[in-house]
DNA sequence: CATAATTGAGTACGCTGTACCCGGTTTCGT
DNA sequence: ACGAAACCGGGTACAGCGTACTCAATTATG
């Protein structure tokens, strides 16, 4: 159980035969499969056949499935901050843009949101991201701890929002139903709630709420901007 | 695969012999096991032995493991809003209190946060919660859709924050390491990052950042209050 | 050139969720 | 009163999972 740190192990040691595969290939395959079929389609056997290796060979590159997940997250999180991104110096604009790219990345890789939300061990691209985020809010008169609190708050919102945004799609994938069947299943229950009369506000929502209530984009922006506004209002004056 | 809606199926049908067990007992056992040993300790076999039933008997009460999860979430989410909670009429105070109770509940049941964040199908207690939340922000001059956007934003923040708050503890459970071993594993990597000189802000953080950087409570409050402030500032004037 | 280190991969173990049965029990329709 | 229908408890079985262990083949080092 004495697992070594994934990011410390050199890709290529000295003595033995040269490897046929690579972490990069493994990561690429994992991301591809998860994108197409969801995170639960990822298995060591599946990944092995995907790259043409024997199952147990993967363990030469990675100390277990958890490392594969770690590699996937680190690989994809890089997209939050494309190479060559320059900072405008306007912290709200910079952090907002980062948040929006984070969201779009998670929408492209729907398996990412829950993982990103609940893992925060150090990894190359996560550290790159942290470095850039800290630079965005540097010079506002905040201490390092306060900067971390600020950034943490924004990412908390983004992660939480995207997860709930993806919740319905997730439910469809989990159950294997399509949207029509799904709503057909939920409707009678909601109807019974309405009929009971115990939930007037929910009833109002179900009857007069706009279909797919407002643009999702718009809702994301609303929360993000309110949060940034609220932060700005309490920044130390300079 | 034609799964019926969990919440529509009556607990007790008409014809057959009376059941030995119950959804309530199953739910109680599931929550207890997950609290003590984590969500991955939950298996149909384990739950069955826990309540003294045969494995397949559980399927008389529940259409699959996913229903068990649904029952667990619904049961625990009830604690967000204790029976008899009265609203003050101050939406910020009410919604803030709800957010704080939600966080405390998720800390008591660490398996809840990821589930709550990514499931939002209708269920009795979730609907009760939604009803109460809507009542909190009713009368502010917002339409139903705008109320939902507001509430959704706050819960996004809470869910995201608690997940990241629990991330370290989660990592320990996943790996089976204790905190000492874990940091001993992370440290050399962080050291190598610092030594590389490519991440000055991260270095600053690692060297002068307060240990466990500030009270977690304080960080939660900071983000929550900034978000509520920002929302308040843009409410329609009345 | 022997040796130590490393890779590739097969086999096997103990888990998992659940489809499919069957025998017993209770209630309903007649 | 009695067959039928509906339901409960649960055993068996299957496909799939992560990974510990093992061993032959390969390579750089002494």
């Amino acid at each position: 159980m004495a697992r070594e740190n994934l990011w410390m192990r050199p890709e290529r040691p000295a003595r033995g035969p040269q490897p046929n595969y690579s972490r990069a290939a493994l990561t690429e395959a994992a991301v591809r499969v998860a994108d197409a079929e969801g995170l639960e389609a990822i298995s060591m056997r599946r990944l092995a056949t995907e790259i043409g290796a024997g199952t147990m060979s993967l363990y030469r590159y990675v100390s277990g499935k958890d490392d594969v997940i770690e590699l996937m997250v680190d690989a994809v999180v890089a997209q939050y901050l494309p190479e060559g991104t320059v900072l405008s110096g306007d912290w709200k604009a910079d952090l907002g843009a980062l948040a929006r790219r984070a969201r779009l990345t998670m929408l492209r890789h729907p398996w990412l949101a829950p993982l990103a939300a609940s893992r925060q061990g150090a990894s190359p691209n996560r550290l790159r991201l942290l470095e850039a985020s800290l630079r965005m809010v540097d010079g506002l008169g905040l201490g390092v701890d306060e900067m971390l609190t600020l950034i943490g708050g924004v990412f908390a919102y983004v992660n939480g929002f995207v997860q709930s945004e993806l919740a319905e799609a997730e439910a469809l994938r989990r159950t294997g139903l399509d949207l029509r069947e799904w709503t057909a299943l939920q409707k009678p229950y909601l109807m019974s709630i309405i009929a009971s009369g115990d939930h007037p506000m929910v009833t109002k929502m179900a009857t007069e709420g706009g279909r797919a209530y407002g643009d999702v984009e718009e809702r994301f922006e609303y929360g993000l901007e309110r949060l940034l506004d609220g932060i700005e209002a309490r920044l130390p004056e300079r």
Side-chain angles (χ1 to χ4, degrees), chain A:
Chain A
M1 184 54 85
R3 300 158 89 265
E4 53 213 316
N5 190 317
L6 168 64
W7 305 109
M8 286 264 78
R9 206 165 82 181
E11 173 91 24
R12 190 62 215 298
R15 210 75 76 103
Q18 55 232 36
N20 283 356
Y21 316 105
S22 71
R23 274 189 196 167
L26 181 52
T27 308
E28 184 276 328
V31 169
R32 180 163 37 77
V33 170
D35 283 351
E37 304 171 42
L39 193 62
E40 75 284 353
I42 298 279
S43 79
M44 298 305 269
R45 279 170 244 260
R46 172 66 188 276
L47 292 180
T49 52
E50 205 74 28
I51 65 172
T55 304
M56 294 315 292
S57 302
L58 301 189
Y59 288 84
R60 298 291 164 193
Y61 298 86
V62 123
S63 81
K65 188 181 180 178
D66 208 66
D67 275 4
V68 177
I69 306 288
E70 211 66 27
L71 285 170
M72 293 171 67
V73 173
D74 186 73
V76 166
V77 140
Q79 300 174 24
Y80 288 11
L81 203 71
E83 211 67 50
T85 305
V86 288
L87 303 189
S88 72
D90 177 350
W91 73 272
K92 273 176 90 174
D94 287 335
L95 207 53
L98 176 57
R100 290 178 193 103
R101 273 194 306 259
R103 171 166 172 267
L104 293 177
T105 304
M106 294 192 227
L107 294 182
R108 259 196 306 272
H109 306 285
W111 46 270
L112 175 60
L115 298 179
S118 55
R119 309 199 162 214
Q120 50 196 28
S123 81
N125 282 308
R126 268 193 293 234
L127 285 176
R128 197 170 67 91
L129 198 64
L130 180 57
E131 177 72 21
S133 309
L134 285 169
R135 287 213 299 130
M136 290 176 188
V137 296
D138 196 16
L140 296 178
L142 300 175
V144 187
D145 290 0
E146 294 167 309
M147 297 186 205
L148 289 172
T149 300
L150 197 171
I151 295 167
V154 172
F155 273 105
Y157 169 74
V158 174
N159 285 329
F161 186 94
V162 177
Q163 280 183 88
S164 92
E165 180 178 0
L166 290 170
E168 189 176 57
E170 258 307 298
L172 296 185
R173 256 208 334 88
R174 251 200 322 274
T175 56
L177 270 42
D178 67 18
L179 186 57
R180 193 174 300 275
E181 301 170 300
W182 171 259
T183 46
L185 234 60
Q186 295 278 57
K187 195 168 189 180
Y189 177 54
L190 260 184
M191 285 310 192
S192 78
I193 293 295
I194 291 175
S196 81
D198 290 334
H199 296 71
M201 297 297 296
V202 171
T203 301
K204 200 171 175 183
M205 178 198 89
T207 56
E208 74 188 50
R211 197 56 242 118
Y213 75 104
D215 198 18
V216 194
E217 228 85 25
E218 211 172 89
R219 289 191 285 130
F220 176 72
E221 290 294 329
Y222 171 82
L224 177 60
E225 278 158 22
R226 293 301 75 74
L227 180 55
L228 293 177
D229 286 353
I231 291 170
E232 186 177 37
R234 290 292 189 104
L235 246 30
E237 61 256 40
R238 300 182 297 140

